[in-house]
Amino acid sequence: MFSKHFRRGVVVAAMLAAFAGPASALSEDEVSVLAGTCANCHGTDGRSPGAIPAIAGQDYDILREQLLAFKAGEVEGATIMTRHATGYTDEELDALARYFSEIEP
Amino acid sequence: MTRLTRRSVLALSGAGALALMLRPATAQAGAWQRLDAARELVGDATPTDGIELELPLVSENGAAVPLSFRVERALDDADPVETVHLFAPSNPDPLIAVFHFSPLAGRADVATRVRLNESQTVIAIARTASGEVMVGEREVRVTTTGCLMVDDTYESANVFQTRLRAPGSVSTGEPGKVLSMINHPMETGLRTNSSGETLPKRIIERVEATMGGEPVLTAELNRSVSANPYLRFFVAPTQSGTLELVWTEDTGETVEASAEISVG
Amino acid sequence: MITRRNMLALGAAAFVAPLAMPNILRAQGSAGRVVIVGGGFGGATAAKYIKRRNPDIDVTLIEAQERFYTCPFSNLYLGGLREFESIGHSYEELTGEYGVNLVTALAEDVDGDAHTVTLSNGETVEYDKLILSPGIDINWGALEGYDEAAAELAPHAWKAGAQTQLLRRQLEEMEDGGLFVLSAPADPFRCPPGPYERVSLVAHYFKEHKPNSKILILDSKDAFSKQGLFTAGWQSLYGDTIEWVGLSDDGRVVRVDAEALEVETEFGMVHRANVLNVVPPQKAGFIAERAGVTNEGGWVPIKASTFESRQVADIHVIGDAAIASPMPKSGFCANTQGKVAAAAIVASLAGNEAPAASWTNTCYSLIGPDYGISVVGVYEAVDDEVVQVEGSGGVSPADADADFRLREAQYAVGWYDAIANDTWGTVPA
């Protein structure tokens, strides 16, 4: 199945070939769309008003490791996060971790 | 889309007929043409409209997709429809069912529920006594809504329980609606249990409806018919009597039900 | 995806003109005008997220109710776990903080060619882009005997508000030992697990206050959302209080006699209730039909990447009204679709391509106050259709312990607080 992961890979390769310098495969716009899906439970900008943990302003490395651990099913006591994290590529999870770490809590 | 048959061209006069003949041959790249069994059934005939096939445009649950078909031509016509074949081309076993109609059924009009493996175009092919063929097609998009997450088809605890609802009385020649259902897993023979063993095929393969010993409708079912086979059809009796249904399993086991219908 | 923004970021030597010329005339200096019909999970979220991306875009939100009551968690109110006002939300954040123009009126007509919306107060509003998030309307008469008058006797309570309060009153007035009957519809309908959460929490209410009462669900389906989990939960918490009759056991209701509080099933069984809740066949909110975006089935086909109508240009349709299967019809989905539509519209108004779409859904259901279950899905657009991301999603484990169920119940409340805050800015009490 031609998922967006494959298409993105092709785009990245093309861009790397065409331009010198570091290329992020995910645009700012795309990361903000991905991040929007987190707000439903973690609050707008990850500033949770309720029982679900806030993620705004959390440490980037910790967030990234936690997301990858959820994806691998390695977090004991996880209720739904593994089922969510498996829906994203490692690169997307990394971008999300950076995105939320840069928000003022 | 109406195919040009000799009959329909002759019915047109002058300019109209000429205009139709000059119209570029409709590509009619119907799904039926891409299925061997359907092409064989159509044979040399040029298919026409005349059978309406209905399924939902989008189905949330491929295990039980409502399907109905209706042939316009009445069964007391001089050249009535005798059979209707249903195909799901993308299923492991494309032939869903075959229905045999006799004039006592009043209308070739049936509703049931079918299994669709994936999105596809479902096909209905009607054949008359003289060999005339009508084709109806319907594209269905099959998704499983993220909320369902159910793997098994529904299995009732009461296998072989039957239900039959027929009108208590009908006017002469007026088709009455009949609902029938039997609880049965319709095990396809393609499923494995949790231990990895293949569950053997076990299906209801025939439903026969008769009245006063005369055939009304016979349905030959394959494994693309949903579990707990449901059949809605019609009966147009000319005299009061008992509508009898016999369900036959592929093991040979049978079960029956009946209902009295008075005609007046 | 190559967007104008990231090509510039990469220092492309040649300046690339906007990828798409705006094809609409706008007042000079204006960033564009967006009108949104429906102030629920979809519309309110879209309004906020358009303003977040570009505050210069003129956003008008049309909503008939002054205060919006959510269907999510209305079952908690029915079960006696919440006050009605706790599921109500107002628009102060949208108007005060985000500068959305709120019009309290009913949208009655849309002219897709003229790009106008006609309101019940006589006004006409012009748009460059229109978002319809009208939810559902009941398909009156589709179920024999179930019309608007019948709903006053046998409520659907499938649009939160007076109907929900009516059903609650009926449950309160029912004598102990009575029978609550719920008729559940065939797919598609709003909130697939909704009817089953409802009977769960009514069973909870009965257990506390009317322990001899019973519940019967007559279902037009053989399979329902999180069925295994619900069935196990019902047995565990409520014994044999709840009986479910599926389609293949003659569960499909074909006729309602609201005066007698009776329903008749397909094969002729008649059930009489003390309280009757009919969840009837549904369709997209009526404005969708007026706008010409519905298909013959009564719902709205959309292009997945932007949720734009497949039938009328410049109209996006989100939430329950849209055909977004396999995404279910849920408030959570409406909210996430609103964000994607917002991003697509802001991009379009600026002459850019929409960023890649991404959605997620989590449906929490409370079987009891301390017993929560969930189903998750993550989705993407492939060939302009919504598909589930392979390997993602799933339901709560069947063998979870009581602590797991309790935490999910707590997270359910945390979810509601978060999404209400994300959509309307509501601050939890």
Side-chain angles (χ1 to χ4, degrees):
Chain A
M1 177 171 86
F2 276 58
S3 70
K4 72 176 177 200
H5 313 300
F6 179 89
R7 287 208 297 273
R8 184 162 296 130
V10 170
V11 169
V12 171
M15 282 160 46
L16 283 172
F19 302 103
S24 165
L26 292 168
S27 71
E28 211 180 297
D29 247 359
E30 284 172 322
V31 181
S32 69
V33 169
L34 292 172
T37 68
C38 310
N40 298 44
C41 288
H42 290 283
T44 309
D45 292 324
R47 300 187 181 110
S48 170
I52 294 174
I55 52 180
Q58 297 276 355
D59 177 74
Y60 160 62
D61 285 304
I62 292 179
L63 275 179
R64 191 189 73 242
E65 273 164 36
Q66 185 75 330
L67 283 170
L68 291 172
F70 275 128
K71 182 174 176 180
E74 286 164 0
V75 180
E76 230 186 274
T79 57
I80 67 156
M81 276 308 294
T82 297
R83 293 179 258 155
H84 274 291
T86 45
Y88 302 87
T89 63
D90 289 2
E91 183 182 34
E92 287 168 334
L93 293 176
D94 178 77
L96 284 169
R98 184 169 294 290
Y99 181 93
F100 284 106
S101 69
E102 289 169 358
I103 295 179
E104 184 99 13
Chain B
M1 195 163 297
T2 308
R3 275 286 177 118
L4 294 177
T5 63
R6 207 170 124 253
R7 192 183 300 180
S8 59
V9 170
L10 289 173
L12 295 164
S13 60
L18 190 61
L20 266 179
M21 291 182 74
L22 290 178
R23 194 175 67 187
T26 48
Q28 188 104 2
W32 69 267
Q33 291 183 317
R34 296 191 286 280
L35 181 67
D36 288 343
R39 273 204 321 276
E40 269 174 49
L41 195 56
V42 172
D44 294 326
T46 307
T48 63
D49 290 340
I51 179 166
E52 212 178 282
L53 175 64
E54 267 187 41
L55 292 110
L57 298 166
V58 178
S59 168
E60 320 268 330
N61 178 9
V65 184
L67 176 157
S68 67
F69 65 80
R70 197 170 64 83
V71 176
E72 284 165 31
R73 187 182 303 183
L75 286 174
D76 59 4
D77 188 274
D79 182 27
V81 159
E82 287 188 331
T83 62
V84 174
H85 285 66
L86 297 176
F87 294 97
S90 304
N91 280 14
D93 240 345
L95 179 63
I96 300 172
V98 186
F99 298 89
H100 302 262
F101 296 94
S102 59
L104 262 184
R107 310 218 290 246
D109 185 337
V110 168
T112 184
R113 290 189 275 272
V114 303
R115 292 170 169 146
L116 295 181
N117 218 22
E118 58 187 68
S119 304
Q120 59 189 292
T121 301
V122 179
I123 304 163
I125 299 180
R127 288 181 60 98
T128 71
S130 76
E132 207 179 309
V133 175
M134 302 144 184
V135 173
E137 297 186 349
R138 192 76 163 190
E139 201 178 329
V140 182
R141 191 165 150 248
V142 177
T143 69
T144 305
T145 175
C147 276
L148 270 184
M149 307 268 180
V150 169
D151 294 316
D152 302 342
T153 53
Y154 171 71
E155 262 189 55
S156 169
N158 312 314
V159 181
F160 282 139
Q161 161 139 17
T162 63
R163 291 176 210 270
L164 178 60
R165 187 172 189 183
S169 66
V170 294
S171 321
T172 318
E174 191 64 44
K177 188 162 71 171
V178 178
L179 303 178
S180 75
M181 186 159 69
I182 180 169
N183 287 119
H184 195 280
M186 295 296 279
E187 196 59 69
T188 58
L190 300 170
R191 288 204 307 161
T192 51
N193 63 16
S194 45
S195 324
E197 299 162 340
T198 304
L199 298 164
K201 180 180 174 190
R202 181 188 174 201
I203 66 168
I204 298 290
E205 63 178 10
R206 195 160 62 252
V207 185
E208 289 161 285
T210 59
M211 192 150 170
E214 295 296 318
V216 174
L217 162 75
T218 298
E220 295 171 65
L221 309 182
N222 268 357
R223 47 196 179 167
S224 291
V225 172
S226 299
N228 307 300
Y230 170 88
L231 276 186
R232 189 274 293 139
F233 57 97
F234 285 86
V235 62
T238 48
Q239 54 193 21
S240 305
T242 310
L243 173 69
E244 276 162 7
L245 253 69
V246 178
W247 288 265
T248 307
E249 193 184 46
D250 55 4
T251 56
E253 201 165 333
T254 63
V255 65
E256 299 170 16
S258 61
E260 302 294 319
I261 305 180
S262 69
V263 180
Chain C
M1 182 158 307
I2 301 175
T3 65
R4 198 170 118 242
R5 193 179 302 182
N6 62 16
M7 284 202 74
L8 290 174
L10 288 163
F15 177 78
V16 178
L19 291 171
M21 290 306 295
N23 57 359
I24 24 162
L25 291 172
R26 283 195 289 272
Q28 195 168 22
S30 160
R33 186 157 190 196
V34 179
V35 172
I36 300 173
V37 173
F41 283 96
T45 302
K48 170 168 165 174
Y49 276 75
I50 288 175
K51 281 295 196 182
R52 277 164 55 95
R53 286 176 176 274
N54 188 349
D56 293 332
I57 293 176
D58 192 276
V59 177
T60 299
L61 179 65
I62 302 166
E63 165 54 50
Q65 301 175 87
E66 301 238 355
R67 200 162 155 71
F68 188 88
Y69 293 91
T70 60
C71 280
F73 274 35
S74 64
N75 287 335
L76 275 70
Y77 157 71
L78 287 172
L81 301 178
R82 285 225 158 189
E83 297 297 318
F84 191 64
E85 283 312 310
S86 76
I87 59 171
H89 307 273
S90 56
Y91 297 95
E92 274 120 40
E93 187 192 70
L94 274 178
T95 54
E97 209 171 301
Y98 290 98
V100 172
N101 312 316
L102 178 68
V103 179
T104 304
L106 184 67
E108 289 188 336
D109 206 353
V110 171
D111 186 331
D113 292 324
H115 281 55
T116 56
V117 180
T118 306
L119 310 181
S120 53
N121 60 12
E123 277 177 34
T124 303
V125 188
E126 282 176 30
Y127 64 84
D128 295 321
K129 299 284 185 181
L130 174 65
I131 299 180
L132 299 180
S133 192
I136 59 158
D137 266 320
I138 304 297
N139 205 349
W140 301 113
L143 178 52
E144 191 187 326
Y146 201 70
D147 55 14
E148 282 161 290
E152 295 304 310
L153 300 168
H156 51 78
W158 220 246
K159 295 179 75 169
Q163 278 276 304
T164 323
Q165 293 173 300
L166 170 60
L167 181 57
R168 171 70 195 172
R169 265 199 312 278
Q170 290 183 342
L171 288 166
E172 283 170 345
E173 284 162 9
M174 190 189 85
E175 279 185 28
D176 188 15
L179 175 68
F180 173 58
V181 175
L182 185 150
S183 162
D187 292 314
F189 64 99
R190 154 183 281 184
C191 193
Y196 313 97
E197 184 191 60
R198 179 166 291 180
V199 301
S200 302
L201 294 179
V202 172
H204 167 75
Y205 167 68
F206 283 175
K207 189 169 166 179
E208 309 248 290
H209 300 281
K210 300 174 201 218
N212 297 304
S213 308
K214 293 281 188 221
I215 301 175
L216 173 65
I217 313 163
L218 297 170
D219 211 328
S220 293
K221 306 181 294 301
D222 275 326
F224 60 88
S225 172
K226 300 177 281 197
Q227 187 165 359
L229 289 167
F230 272 111
T231 308
W234 290 343
Q235 266 162 21
S236 157
L237 295 181
Y238 309 118
D240 60 359
T241 298
I242 300 171
E243 186 192 353
W244 175 77
V245 179
L247 173 67
S248 291
D249 283 323
D250 193 23
R252 180 174 166 226
V253 169
V254 295
R255 193 180 61 83
V256 177
D257 181 345
E259 299 265 352
L261 293 181
E262 274 179 10
V263 292
E264 183 183 336
T265 59
E266 204 171 17
F267 287 88
M269 285 213 60
V270 175
H271 301 270
R272 169 168 278 198
N274 295 103
V275 176
L276 176 60
N277 179 197
V278 176
V279 183
Q282 301 154 25
K283 57 183 183 176
F286 78 90
I287 194 69
E289 195 182 354
R290 303 263 171 98
V293 297
T294 51
N295 68 7
E296 60 191 62
W299 303 94
V300 180
I302 44 91
K303 304 178 202 176
S305 48
T306 57
F307 270 67
E308 192 179 7
S309 156
R310 287 188 185 269
Q311 292 170 199
V312 182
D314 294 329
I315 300 182
H316 297 245
V317 185
I318 58 177
D320 296 345
I323 300 171
S325 191
M327 289 183 80
K329 296 187 185 301
S330 72
F332 197 116
C333 283
N335 168 301
T336 161
Q337 289 162 10
K339 288 162 179 160
V340 167
I345 282 173
V346 169
S348 172
L349 289 173
N352 296 334
E353 250 186 79
S358 175
W359 310 270
T360 179
N361 180 62
T362 305
C363 276
Y364 279 107
S365 300
L366 286 190
I367 303 185
D370 298 328
Y371 196 123
I373 59 173
S374 60
V375 60
V376 172
V378 184
Y379 310 92
E380 57 185 349
V382 174
D383 296 330
D384 239 351
E385 300 279 8
V386 177
V387 302
Q388 181 145 351
V389 176
E390 248 179 84
S392 78
V395 296
S396 307
D399 55 358
D401 61 15
D403 177 66
F404 193 101
R405 304 293 187 211
L406 172 62
R407 280 187 300 120
E408 288 227 273
Q410 290 165 341
Y411 283 142
V413 176
W415 159 73
Y416 186 84
D417 288 338
I419 199 171
N421 184 259
D422 188 39
T423 307
W424 298 282
T426 303
V427 175

